Amino acid sequence: MKKRISALVLTTILLVGTAIPALAAGTVFSDVPSGFWAGEAIRTMAERNIVSGYENGSFRPGQKVTNAQFAVMLARAFYPAEAKAYAEEGYGDSAPWYWSSMAALRDHGVLNGTAMGGDGGWPVLQCDGDFVTRYDMAQLAYNVMLDYEQSGSGIERELVPSRVRDWDVIPEAYQDAVTACYVLGVLEGQADGSFDGTSLMSRAQSCVVIERLGKGLGVNIGTGKPGTGQSAEKVLVSGEPVTEENVKNLLQRVATEWQGNIRASVYLAGNSSMEVREIIWSYRDINGRTLSMTSGAAGYVARLSDRVFGRYGFPARKLDSLSQMRAGDIVITLQDGRIIHAATYSGESGMMMTVEGRLAQGYGAFSVKDSTAPGTVVVMPEDVLPGRTYEVWTRYPE
């Protein structure tokens, strides 16, 4: 479900630039005096471990920011759990210092259309060293907006070209991003009224951009969770009331969509609400590893849950009994306390929605218990096997 944001809130984010890691609350930087234009944003970002200063006590607010540095900043601000999970998963000594943040952003489509988005060498991403332009800053902010399902007024969007002095020279590929950032208050033009997209971003500017984007999206920076400004109607993504029949029908429509001609890259697993991600990540697999939420059945069901219930407004809770299971509920299968499978109940007895065995194609599939089709066997909760237990999580309102 799309969420609107007031034009006021998002019209400021592109005026600014980037940095990296952490520091203690209340820290005063020697080169960020009282009254400095970006002082509050810098201190906020530092206190929330998004950026850090230097050993000599300075922050260097005017220093230009590399793509890698800004990727780390964005991931820490909006996707910290994913970045942490990638870092804990590890990828060998050859992985660069910023790869876990880049991987988290890539999963959410944040790198699309930018200088960072064209690198196919994941996770060894060759983005370190090049500096972030205002064009790419706008695109990155816009991609985060899209991921958090924010949109602005269509009427206001039509007025943006008249507000930007150099609109005619802005490449078409960036026009949607620049427009959205102006409408949502994420960025403004330069003093002369131009956007000046090729100019580079500074550390101070990056802090301001991140802070404004967080406020505009109603997200608590550093957690990725919705803040007090985020609200949601209690309806499904389809706009229909929350009933089991409506959930069941929406699951069918999504399954049909995913089994069509849509590539797996369009629906990367992992773009799910914080509540569902935390549930999945609370388990360990049979090898003792925390699930990465970027592939497999666990990532798929979490993504699917948001395609039905939306990102906000429906916190997940564990059911007391399997008999309470309804269409759209997540079923966790455990073997001796370790997760071996996750699936979504379709609402039909004996049927689950799973990506097991179909991940290469990226399609959703209805898989029947004891199916003979290769790679689609789904174990149902009524099965009795030694050491095997089941948990069911629901997002239906109580």
Side-chain angles (χ1 to χ4, degrees):
M1 144 176 45
K2 295 284 182 185
K3 305 224 182 350
R4 282 195 183 276
I5 291 258
S6 67
L8 228 275
V9 186
L10 274 178
T11 304
T12 339
I13 280 195
L14 239 197
L15 255 172
V16 254
T18 283
I20 25 182
L23 80 80
T27 300
V28 177
F29 296 108
S30 60
D31 53 354
V32 182
S34 176
F36 184 67
W37 69 273
E40 182 179 351
I42 290 172
R43 284 186 285 273
T44 297
M45 294 301 102
E47 290 170 2
R48 298 189 185 185
N49 296 332
I50 309 302
V51 298
S52 65
Y54 291 86
E55 291 183 359
N56 64 359
S58 66
F59 182 75
R60 304 179 190 175
Q63 182 172 295
K64 302 306 178 187
V65 179
T66 67
N67 289 316
Q69 289 171 337
F70 192 66
V72 172
M73 189 176 183
L74 269 182
R76 287 178 174 172
F78 297 102
Y79 307 103
E82 291 95 327
K84 181 181 178 182
Y86 267 120
E88 290 177 348
E89 179 183 349
Y91 213 90
D93 297 335
S94 62
W97 61 273
Y98 50 84
W99 84 269
S100 59
S101 294
M102 293 286 287
L105 296 181
R106 176 169 287 185
D107 284 346
H108 287 268
V110 177
L111 305 181
N112 294 345
T114 71
M116 292 178 267
D119 192 324
W122 184 92
V124 185
L125 301 164
Q126 304 299 322
C127 72
D128 200 8
D130 293 328
F131 298 109
V132 179
T133 66
R134 284 171 59 83
Y135 280 141
D136 272 359
M137 181 72 75
Q139 188 66 53
L140 291 164
Y142 179 49
N143 290 341
V144 173
M145 293 177 209
L146 294 177
D147 187 50
Y148 276 85
E149 299 180 319
Q150 306 293 1
S151 62
S153 164
I155 295 177
E156 290 177 313
R157 294 174 69 89
E158 294 178 5
L159 298 176
V160 170
S162 64
R163 295 171 51 193
V164 183
R165 181 180 176 185
D166 57 347
W167 180 262
D168 290 342
V169 303
I170 296 177
E172 185 176 354
Y174 288 108
Q175 288 180 0
D176 283 345
V178 172
T179 298
C181 287
Y182 270 81
V183 169
L184 296 180
V186 176
L187 51 114
E188 299 172 348
Q190 304 284 33
D192 64 355
S194 66
F195 179 69
D196 190 21
T198 58
S199 64
L200 305 179
M201 303 298 291
S202 70
R203 281 168 59 85
Q205 290 175 325
S206 297
C207 289
V208 176
V209 166
I210 294 292
E211 182 184 50
R212 290 170 175 173
L213 183 57
K215 289 179 178 179
L217 297 177
V219 173
N220 288 322
I221 295 297
T223 69
K225 297 182 178 181
T228 56
Q230 191 73 52
S231 61
E233 301 174 51
K234 291 291 185 178
V235 295
L236 301 175
V237 170
S238 61
E240 300 167 306
V242 186
T243 67
E244 184 173 11
E245 189 63 27
N246 287 339
V247 169
K248 180 179 174 180
N249 291 336
L250 184 53
L251 283 170
Q252 292 277 3
R253 296 201 295 270
V254 172
T256 300
E257 171 190 329
W258 283 357
Q259 290 174 31
N261 295 320
I262 298 179
R263 294 169 59 85
S265 59
V266 178
Y267 293 116
L268 286 173
N271 297 359
S272 57
S273 65
M274 180 58 69
E275 293 92 348
V276 177
R277 290 201 302 265
E278 287 181 341
I279 290 166
I280 301 297
W281 280 336
S282 68
Y283 296 96
R284 299 274 177 173
D285 67 13
I286 56 176
N287 297 313
R289 298 173 301 190
T290 301
L291 300 184
S292 70
M293 283 294 298
T294 58
S295 64
Y300 175 79
V301 298
R303 172 70 167 156
L304 179 60
S305 183
D306 281 353
R307 287 300 304 271
V308 174
F309 292 98
R311 290 179 64 88
Y312 306 110
F314 295 94
R317 56 190 170 83
K318 189 192 297 185
L319 296 179
D320 296 328
S321 170
L322 297 180
S323 65
Q324 300 173 319
M325 183 170 63
R326 290 176 285 181
D329 287 347
I330 296 173
V331 181
I332 304 292
T333 302
L334 304 169
Q335 181 71 43
D336 297 323
R338 295 294 176 92
I339 188 171
I340 60 173
H341 189 74
T344 303
Y345 182 48
S346 71
E348 296 289 341
S349 178
M351 298 184 72
M352 305 291 280
M353 297 183 71
T354 177
V355 74
E356 199 79 11
R358 298 291 296 279
L359 186 60
Q361 290 74 38
Y363 304 142
F366 279 110
S367 300
V368 184
K369 173 176 174 276
D370 297 329
S371 168
T372 57
T376 60
V377 177
V378 176
V379 178
M380 293 298 294
E382 58 264 28
D383 289 320
V384 178
L385 295 172
R388 185 159 293 182
T389 57
Y390 304 91
E391 293 182 5
V392 179
W393 292 81
T394 188
R395 294 181 71 186
Y396 284 88
E398 293 189 78

